[in-house]
Amino acid sequence: MTDTPPAGGQPAPSTPEPSAGLPAVPVAVPEGPPARLWDRMRDDPQYAPEHLALEAVRRLGPEAAQWAARVRSEHPGVSSDVLADQAARKFVNLARLSGAVSGAAGLPGAVLDVGVLAWTQARMVLHIAAAYDVDPLHSDRATDLLVLQRVHKVAESARLALGVAAGRERADALFGLGGQRPLGRVMLQLGVRLAQMAGVRAAKRLVAKIVPGAAIVLGTWANSSATKDLAERSRALYGRRGTAVPEPRRS
């Protein structure tokens, strides 16, 4: 449907976006987890989501806090909802691109893609938290990530798993406990765990990278849909400035 032009034949002025004129979220292309995190997740795929959540808060929390503070200083009075909307739209668009970011085929490419998607989504959640004045650097944000991304159903189990992952991270740093398991089995387990975190059905996402032509269509739709759902859950949580993660949705 098109707008009816006003009298005189002149086109109607366009309505600006609520966030028009605000500084953009400082991410131009999908960025994946850092190399050291990939190594950690490969060595401990069972706790890959927990390792990703811990590292996301450490690395991405400061970025989110600085962005929100800068926007508020340059645009006093801007609402939290406007900031959250800008972050959500930015990272949903990035999620659409993350399905082909690796350029690799087969299982390794699928694992890379879902890892980039999970990292992009974590970045979005922390920016939405910052938009609502919820500290994105606080350790509780790692718990939020795991429940919002439905890796765990409740905060208590998420905190327990994060504690285990942090302990294994310290032990690996001290003693080098990385296993020597078959790479194919490790990659499959890692891919399934990261796909679960990213909200994309593992089977669909892994198959999409193997079947020619399926990756772009299915990957774009699945990535954006899962990221939009996560954005809605994040805004529902932080918009009410709650301290508890939401209950899992009943099917």
Side-chain angles (χ1 to χ4, degrees):
M1 179 181 297
T2 58
D3 295 331
T4 303
Q10 297 299 319
S14 59
T15 302
E17 292 281 347
S19 57
L22 296 183
V25 180
V27 182
V29 295
E31 299 176 9
R36 289 184 63 183
L37 175 57
W38 275 118
D39 292 341
R40 196 177 306 141
M41 294 191 296
R42 183 198 60 215
D43 291 341
D44 193 18
Q46 180 182 356
Y47 287 94
E50 287 79 12
H51 291 303
L52 191 148
L54 289 168
E55 189 68 18
V57 173
R58 286 192 291 256
R59 282 182 173 260
L60 305 178
E63 170 192 279
Q66 292 166 11
W67 165 74
R70 186 177 73 255
V71 175
R72 288 193 173 95
S73 68
E74 296 176 358
H75 299 267
V78 65
S79 73
S80 295
D81 286 335
V82 167
L83 290 185
D85 181 65
Q86 184 192 31
R89 286 189 286 108
K90 175 70 174 184
F91 289 107
V92 167
N93 288 336
L94 285 176
R96 292 191 180 102
L97 303 176
S98 65
V101 71
S102 71
L107 182 58
V111 174
L112 288 171
D113 286 349
V114 293
V116 171
L117 178 58
W119 188 251
T120 299
Q121 291 179 344
R123 198 173 222 140
M124 178 188 71
V125 172
L126 294 174
H127 276 74
I128 292 176
Y132 286 108
D133 286 319
V134 177
D135 185 5
L137 287 77
H138 196 283
S139 59
D140 283 350
R141 300 296 80 75
T143 301
D144 293 349
L145 282 170
L146 293 177
V147 180
L148 285 167
Q149 293 180 287
R150 294 176 175 167
V151 176
H152 293 276
K153 292 183 178 180
V154 295
E156 289 75 12
S157 64
R159 292 191 188 99
L160 178 61
L162 285 167
V164 172
R168 292 161 78 100
E169 180 181 325
R170 290 190 293 270
D172 184 58
L174 288 173
F175 306 112
L177 300 180
Q180 300 295 323
R181 290 165 291 176
L183 182 59
R185 183 180 303 174
V186 168
M187 293 294 284
L188 181 59
Q189 184 179 11
L190 179 57
V192 169
R193 293 292 285 155
L194 291 176
Q196 177 190 9
M197 185 179 196
V200 180
R201 291 184 180 179
K204 285 187 176 181
R205 194 68 191 90
L206 297 178
V207 169
K209 283 296 293 186
I210 299 172
V211 177
I216 295 177
V217 176
L218 180 57
T220 298
W221 176 85
N223 290 0
S224 62
S225 177
T227 307
K228 284 179 182 177
D229 289 346
L230 177 60
E232 291 177 3
R233 296 195 297 273
S234 301
R235 295 185 67 167
L237 170 63
Y238 297 126
R240 63 174 182 264
R241 299 175 187 266
T243 57
V245 292
E247 291 296 321
R249 182 172 58 191
R250 299 181 181 276
S251 57

